Amino acid sequence: MLIEFGKANLLQKALRQPERVRQAIDKIRTDGVGPTVAAVRSKLDQAIPLGNANLGMVVEEGEGVSDLCVGDRVVSNGPHAEWVCVPRNLCVKVSSGLEPSDAVFAMVGAIGLQGVRLLDPTLGESIAVIGLGLIGLLAVQIIKANGCRVIGIDKEARRCSLAQGFGAEAVDLSDPSAAESVVSRFSRGRGVDGVLITASTSSNQPVEMAPRMCRQRGRIVLVGVVGMGLNRNDFYEKEISFQVSCSFGPGRYDDSYERLGRDYPVGFVRWTEQRNVEAMLDLISSGALALDPLISHRVPFARALEVYREIGSGEALGVLLEYPHSEKDQRQVGTPERRLTVNPARARSKARPVMGVLGAGNFAFQVLLPALAKTGARLKTVVSATGVSAARAARKFGFEGASSEPDDVFGDDEIDAVLIATRHASHGHLVERGLQSGKSIFVEKPLCLTESELEAVERALVWCPINNIN
């Protein structure tokens, strides 16, 4: 979906996201055409990291992490990279006996598992799965493991064959009316108990077919991304329930859970994002899932761009990107190089002030960094949490390097001044660190401080927050 969206022109992107068009129109009314066009272009120009799951080895634990140790293998949904920093609740320990190529499926499988949990299939029920991509085929096997009868529906004959190999019946969707007849026979004329939609299409066809396939008071859960032109009568007459599944499960998109590591009490939320991944690892370890047939490509990471071009063509299914080092080699690699050199040939005049920047979000891109680039200062290092937006900012505005570590700014003796444009809640401790390192500090408003941080700033010699750069 992301690849196809990235290839689309501006009109095609607008048609795919009509709600964004409405937001842009509202912004034109309040801010005018110029600022709105600049904001839209900046948003569409942002790089989006691709990939869904990683398996690697812990090389260092953060503060408060007690249940993982250096050398443990973990699966996570951090960015694809040789070295990643991942919050605790997004990592799950992998047993030593599990093959890496199997364990890495746990994160992707958790998406399907959460959809199955919401569908709540019970022993002996009949379930239809519309869309037999990677998550759909994993879901077929998970539902089979629940003791249900499963029928898979897809336009690709090869994927239908895979579903049949996993013990499900399958029907080719090239003829929708015929497909519904097959599903009716499969359900013994009663209609299926539930439908899991794991397709990716702009068409309304999946949500039009699903209620017609269901029995009275059937259940439909949407995991994929499809057109949402629902027919009220189809749902009304049968009192069908419809729910959208949120990715990996409870905790997803909750900063408190994902970034700060605050878990939900197991007595109140049994299956969180992390615990769903644990359950998938247990299911994989038990041998209940066949994963080798789902792997269509095994390629070195250096060839990732080639295989991403094939995704969406129907040929690619599960794509494994393999890094150059074995686990034994990784123990000997040492500390990763955190700073990316982007513009090594830039002039280095000592007469100009040397700037470092923390934060490369939307406001920084639209307002702060363009203004900073016009000042004539030497732009040395820009930092962002994942490094992706920092690398993009470095190339666009002429920084010498990009990093994901604030220490590469605060610990650089050449840097005279630091612009802090991170999330507001992080301003306080970053200001404190910057002042302790002897830098001049410029802060994007508002400056958020705790009482202890305020005392630390008051003890410092220089404090110069600004709202704009001229």
Side-chain angles (χ1 to χ4, degrees):
M1 180 187 68
L2 290 175
I3 292 170
E4 289 175 357
F5 183 78
K7 291 178 180 178
N9 59 38
L10 189 59
L11 177 59
Q12 290 169 330
K13 288 177 179 178
L15 292 174
R16 293 186 185 196
Q17 295 187 315
E19 71 282 359
R20 301 289 188 188
V21 176
R22 288 191 290 270
Q23 290 176 8
I25 292 172
D26 291 340
K27 187 174 178 64
I28 289 173
R29 290 173 180 152
T30 57
D31 298 353
V33 175
T36 301
V37 170
V40 170
R41 284 178 175 169
S42 175
K43 190 69 176 176
L44 292 177
D45 191 40
Q46 289 181 11
I48 302 174
L50 298 175
N52 233 157
N54 300 285
L55 183 132
M57 182 183 295
V58 176
V59 294
E60 185 178 348
E61 320 100 278
E63 183 180 349
V65 177
S66 58
D67 53 340
L68 290 175
C69 303
V70 172
D72 286 344
R73 293 192 311 164
V74 294
V75 64
S76 77
N77 68 342
H80 278 0
E82 292 181 35
W83 300 87
V84 292
C85 180
V86 185
R88 176 63 190 91
N89 282 349
L90 301 186
C91 287
V92 177
K93 186 175 179 178
V94 177
S95 62
S96 58
L98 199 57
E99 287 294 321
S101 58
D102 290 339
V104 77
F105 275 90
M107 191 63 68
V108 181
I111 300 173
L113 177 59
Q114 174 62 13
V116 174
R117 290 199 191 284
L118 295 178
L119 194 64
D120 193 22
T122 58
L123 185 69
E125 285 192 317
S126 59
I127 305 294
V129 178
I130 300 178
L132 298 176
L134 181 59
I135 292 175
L137 288 168
L138 284 166
V140 164
Q141 297 184 71
I142 294 169
I143 296 169
K144 286 289 294 182
N146 273 267
C148 297
R149 299 170 61 242
V150 185
I151 183 166
I153 303 167
D154 199 279
K155 292 181 178 179
E156 297 283 341
R158 184 173 67 91
R159 297 183 178 187
C160 289
S161 297
L162 284 171
Q164 289 172 332
F166 299 144
E169 293 193 35
V171 55
D172 191 333
L173 194 55
S174 55
D175 184 352
S177 59
E180 291 181 31
S181 298
V182 173
V183 173
S184 178
R185 289 196 298 272
F186 169 79
S187 64
R188 302 184 178 105
R190 304 183 185 115
V192 294
D193 298 286
V195 178
L196 189 71
I197 302 175
T198 52
S200 176
T201 175
S202 58
S203 169
N204 295 322
Q205 187 181 45
V207 295
E208 291 172 349
M209 291 177 55
R212 294 198 293 266
M213 294 176 176
C214 281
R215 64 167 170 82
Q216 194 86 10
R217 295 191 175 184
R219 311 178 302 274
I220 300 172
V221 172
L222 173 62
V223 175
V225 181
V226 300
M228 293 289 285
L230 305 179
N231 184 328
R232 178 181 179 276
N233 282 343
D234 289 339
F235 289 81
Y236 170 77
E237 292 173 0
K238 293 183 178 179
E239 292 187 326
I240 289 172
S241 64
F242 177 82
Q243 187 168 1
V244 179
S245 177
C246 181
S247 191
F248 305 101
R252 186 60 173 147
Y253 306 117
D254 178 354
D255 277 355
S256 177
Y257 177 89
E258 292 194 328
R259 293 181 59 248
L260 303 180
R262 295 171 182 160
D263 200 1
Y264 300 156
V266 67
F268 295 90
V269 185
R270 177 61 184 93
W271 296 111
T272 59
E273 180 174 0
Q274 185 184 60
R275 292 193 274 269
N276 271 337
V277 179
E278 288 177 347
M280 279 300 303
L281 284 171
D282 292 339
L283 201 56
I284 292 168
S285 298
S286 72
L289 304 182
L291 301 176
D292 280 348
L294 302 180
I295 301 173
S296 62
H297 295 71
R298 292 175 184 261
V299 298
F301 188 77
R303 291 180 50 210
L305 194 58
E306 298 174 27
V307 77
Y308 270 121
R309 291 192 183 103
E310 296 184 33
I311 292 178
S313 66
E315 296 300 318
L317 195 58
V319 178
L320 287 184
L321 303 178
E322 297 176 331
Y323 292 93
H325 300 291
S326 67
E327 289 184 0
K328 181 179 179 182
D329 294 332
Q330 287 177 18
R331 294 190 187 100
Q332 302 170 357
V333 170
T335 304
E337 179 59 54
R338 300 175 307 194
R339 189 177 184 276
L340 173 69
T341 301
V342 177
N343 296 299
R346 285 182 59 82
R348 301 190 176 189
S349 168
K350 292 184 179 180
R352 295 185 298 157
V354 182
M355 291 289 303
V357 174
L358 304 180
N362 204 37
F363 182 72
F365 255 85
Q366 290 185 50
V367 179
L368 301 178
L369 296 183
L372 188 62
K374 296 176 182 178
T375 62
R378 176 183 160 198
L379 307 182
K380 186 164 186 188
T381 303
V382 57
V383 174
S384 69
T386 64
V388 176
S389 55
R392 172 175 162 254
R395 294 187 178 98
K396 187 176 180 68
F397 298 107
F399 284 83
E400 294 172 20
S403 174
S404 57
E405 277 294 327
D407 285 343
D408 290 337
V409 168
F410 294 136
D412 190 332
D413 292 337
E414 278 196 308
I415 293 177
D416 307 309
V418 180
L419 169 63
I420 297 175
T422 55
R423 293 183 179 216
H424 298 154
S426 67
H427 288 176
H429 75 271
L430 291 176
V431 167
E432 182 178 357
R433 288 181 62 187
L435 294 174
Q436 288 172 348
S437 66
K439 314 291 187 188
S440 295
I441 305 298
F442 300 87
V443 189
E444 175 211 351
K445 65 172 185 176
L447 180 61
C448 299
L449 300 171
T450 64
E451 185 175 352
S452 61
E453 289 168 339
L454 181 60
E455 291 174 355
V457 171
E458 288 174 342
R459 290 195 299 269
L461 297 176
V462 179
W463 176 32
C464 183
I466 62 169
N467 293 340
N468 297 290
I469 297 177
N470 297 314

